[in-house]
Amino acid sequence: MAWTALADTEFDAGDAAAGLRAARRALQLAPGHPEPLARLGRGQWMQGKLAEAAASLGEAARRAPRHPGIAVWLAHVLEDTGDAEAASDCYARAHALLPGHPQIAAYLLAWRRRLCDWRGLDALGHQVRSAVRAGQAAVEPFAFLSEDSTAAEQLACARLRASAVAARVRPLPPPGPRTGGPLRLGFMSNGFGAHPTGLLTVAFFEALAAHADMEIHLFALNRPDGSAVGRRLQHAVARWHDVGALPSSEIAGRIRSAAVDVLFDLRGWGGGGRPEVLAMRPAPLQVNWLAYPGTSGAPWIDCILADDVVLPQALEPHFSEAVVRLPRCFQPSDTRRAIPPAPARKDCGLPAHGVVFCCFNNSYKLNPASFSRHMAVLRQVPGSVLWLLSGPGDANRRLRTAAAEAGVDPDRLVFMPKQPQAEYLARLQLADLFLDCNPYNAHTTASDALWAGCPVLTRPGQTFAGRVAASLNHHLGLDDMNVATDELFIERAVALGNDPAALAALRRRVGRQRDESGLFDMEGFAADFRDVVLRLQRESAAGRGSASG
């Protein structure tokens, strides 16, 4: 058991290789024991050896069928292997074994949302939110964003998670004085490639690189994916650091050795990140930006970069960071990507005629309330269809069943498998109006839609995650597409759906504003970003000087 405990410690430190050595030693001492066997699977999973991890954890679960922790780890791996329904069964089994455990309830809740399996959502959501309010469990903050939670609850959730990370991390000594030269900016993410983070930032990095007083370092937690976006990123920046396979302490050491002045966390609690690295304080100033749409709740993050729509002053008390606002939308975009010609409607499964509403949000955002709102629109716009992104497992079948129960012909739902970016943008030109979701609305998908000329209708929420599409619309000059209530949302969508001339005029407005507003001006974005970062660095350096004096 000592070797098994050591394996857990090494895994928590991000050292998969050392953890696997400890797990294998434990298995030598107790062949077939489910505890070290489960650690073997965990390490294989961390190294991306999914088939091996599934086999190891499957055998551990067979040997310990009443062990909820092993069932949870097996579910995590099955998620990544694409066996979505089996993953859900494992989470459900873990919850049945330990029904009072809020973190297991949170896992089951989040995965059922992905599968559009809405059984028991209210009870599970109540259990998770109650646990967060009571400070009883460090549930995953990213999944918590999909709940009908308040900004205050999201802060409490993030702080619980941050406390758990801080308890096992020792910060580095303070950095030495700055040596001069260009300002060294570090960005850490697992999305530097054909991933929403890479797609949003690549043109921005290319524009920022034109400023000689900025030196860009990307600390990539992902392996190079060979994509065009990945190659552009590597070409744009001063230094690409491939650190994904390193323990957290070594990544922090690399950042400190690069003398990074400002480190931007482009993952946060979104999964696949390394919060332990930032908790070690490798840079004198650390910023939450772009990838995680909420507060970090972490004492090692100094500020959050936002704008005045996505993070209004009323929300500031519910953020642990100092709020720094850009004078434009906080979200950049790839403005160098071309939009290929649209395919034929029939080649996409769309009818020859009729309005095409779309909602290409991930399936976990398409909750019962948002889906009900969409169905109300379809019922009042004859001949219209709703174009959705195909979900995992049996999600599509469940949504068709829900449509029938709402009095809508299930054939009016059209599902699009995930596409490469160019093909996706081409298809977006066939959509007439994007219908957003709440409480977690469209982010990258809203930007994609607007870039392709498709207007976005949204209801701004009361949290950062529920206000991104509203920020995009505002900075595009389309505030009238941000409505205050569900009733107004339905009314506006129905009116546009039944008025082809008004819908065509709206689409022309989107195209005109795309070219004339500052939303898609990446040179302007880079200039504003540079000004804000220089100010932050000066203020941070002055504060450190005062503290040392």
Side-chain angles (χ1 to χ4, degrees):
M1 297 311 296
W3 285 103
T4 300
L6 177 60
D8 281 333
T9 300
E10 299 288 12
F11 292 144
D12 288 343
D15 195 337
L20 280 169
R21 287 193 294 271
R24 289 190 173 106
R25 178 58 180 147
L27 282 170
Q28 287 176 344
L29 297 170
H33 194 291
E35 294 285 0
L37 194 55
R39 273 60 177 189
L40 179 66
R42 182 183 175 189
Q44 291 163 334
W45 177 55
M46 290 176 67
Q47 291 186 334
K49 299 174 181 176
L50 299 181
E52 294 177 28
S56 298
L57 281 158
E59 179 60 19
R62 189 186 67 80
R63 291 173 178 267
R66 299 191 60 78
H67 193 308
I70 292 175
V72 165
W73 280 111
L74 177 57
H76 290 341
V77 173
L78 292 173
E79 283 188 35
D80 289 349
T81 63
D83 199 345
E85 297 296 331
S88 181
D89 291 342
C90 285
Y91 285 132
R93 184 165 68 250
H95 186 253
L97 290 168
L98 210 57
H101 197 293
Q103 189 165 30
I104 293 177
Y107 286 138
L108 177 59
L109 174 62
W111 197 242
R112 281 192 174 171
R113 287 197 182 281
R114 286 187 180 273
L115 293 175
C116 300
D117 180 355
W118 298 330
R119 295 173 297 159
L121 288 194
D122 290 344
L124 288 167
H126 176 75
Q127 179 183 358
V128 171
R129 288 180 67 186
S130 297
V132 167
R133 286 195 295 266
Q136 293 175 345
V139 304
E140 290 300 328
F142 179 76
F144 197 67
L145 298 177
S146 297
E147 301 308 308
D148 286 313
S149 52
T150 65
E153 288 173 337
Q154 290 181 5
L155 172 60
C157 180
R159 278 180 166 157
L160 286 167
R161 185 73 178 86
S163 295
V165 171
R168 60 176 185 263
V169 168
R170 178 178 298 176
L172 297 173
R178 193 173 188 280
T179 57
L183 193 67
R184 289 176 286 275
L185 306 182
F187 300 83
M188 188 173 73
S189 178
N190 68 340
F192 291 135
H195 177 280
T197 299
L199 293 166
L200 289 175
T201 56
V202 61
F204 155 70
F205 283 131
E206 289 166 341
L208 188 64
H211 295 269
D213 55 353
M214 300 280 115
E215 183 178 293
I216 307 169
H217 294 252
L218 299 191
F219 294 89
L221 301 174
N222 57 292
R223 299 182 181 90
D225 61 4
S227 67
V229 170
R231 291 192 296 272
R232 284 171 60 192
L233 286 165
Q234 293 190 50
H235 180 73
V237 302
R239 182 78 187 276
W240 174 283
H241 304 261
D242 188 358
V243 297
L246 300 179
S248 298
S249 58
E250 289 191 32
I251 299 174
R254 294 279 185 96
I255 295 169
R256 177 63 62 84
S257 296
V260 166
D261 296 299
V262 187
L263 179 61
F264 293 84
D265 182 8
L266 267 63
R267 196 56 190 151
W269 301 118
R274 290 288 192 88
E276 295 82 5
V277 173
L278 290 114
M280 294 176 191
R281 272 284 181 181
L285 182 61
Q286 301 188 161
V287 183
N288 172 11
W289 176 51
L290 189 63
Y292 183 72
T295 181
S296 68
W300 56 81
I301 298 291
D302 302 294
C303 54
I304 182 170
L305 199 56
D307 64 58
D308 57 357
V309 176
V310 78
L311 207 170
Q313 288 189 353
L315 291 183
E316 284 192 30
H318 309 303
F319 279 71
S320 61
E321 308 92 339
V323 177
V324 178
R325 294 180 177 87
L326 287 165
R328 59 175 62 237
C329 181
F330 82 104
Q331 186 187 90
S333 183
D334 182 8
T335 51
R336 289 182 55 192
R337 52 187 171 163
I339 303 176
R345 286 170 64 123
K346 63 180 177 60
D347 293 338
C348 301
L350 297 170
H353 306 287
V355 173
V356 177
F357 297 107
C358 74
C359 179
F360 292 139
N361 286 328
N362 278 310
S363 55
Y364 59 84
K365 299 182 182 182
L366 197 61
N367 55 31
S370 294
F371 189 75
S372 175
R373 195 168 65 188
H374 296 351
M375 292 302 98
V377 173
L378 289 190
R379 285 195 299 269
Q380 298 178 65
V381 181
S384 64
V385 296
L386 179 62
W387 202 5
L388 300 166
L389 189 65
S390 189
D394 292 334
N396 297 358
R397 177 187 59 77
R398 293 187 179 99
L399 289 173
R400 290 186 189 278
T401 299
E405 292 172 349
V408 173
D409 183 348
D411 289 339
R412 293 175 69 186
L413 302 190
V414 180
F415 293 95
M416 179 182 71
K418 286 193 175 181
Q419 303 288 328
Q421 178 70 189
E423 286 84 345
Y424 170 55
L425 291 175
R427 283 162 172 74
L428 261 171
Q429 297 170 92
L430 300 177
D432 294 303
L433 180 63
F434 189 112
L435 302 180
D436 202 6
C437 299
N438 292 92
Y440 193 161
N441 62 39
H443 297 181
T444 308
T445 47
S447 178
D448 291 338
L450 294 170
W451 180 248
C454 177
V456 176
L457 179 63
T458 190
R459 175 174 68 76
Q462 300 303 313
T463 66
F464 190 120
R467 303 183 62 83
V468 175
S471 175
L472 291 164
N473 276 341
H474 170 78
H475 290 95
L476 193 66
L478 292 171
D479 280 301
D480 54 309
M481 296 302 289
N482 299 339
V483 297
T485 66
D486 286 344
E487 291 75 20
L488 288 173
F489 183 101
I490 296 168
E491 179 182 313
R492 181 87 164 118
V494 169
L496 288 167
N498 287 317
D499 189 341
L503 189 56
L506 175 61
R507 292 176 63 83
R508 288 193 296 272
R509 262 181 78 201
V510 171
R512 184 170 61 251
Q513 292 298 103
R514 192 193 84 159
D515 297 331
E516 296 178 359
S517 74
L519 180 63
F520 293 109
D521 173 14
M522 288 305 101
E523 285 71 24
F525 190 106
D528 288 340
F529 186 95
R530 170 189 172 275
D531 291 345
V532 167
V533 170
L534 285 172
R535 175 173 60 82
L536 281 175
Q537 196 276 332
R538 286 194 300 268
E539 292 173 355
S540 175
R544 291 196 303 277
S546 299
S548 61

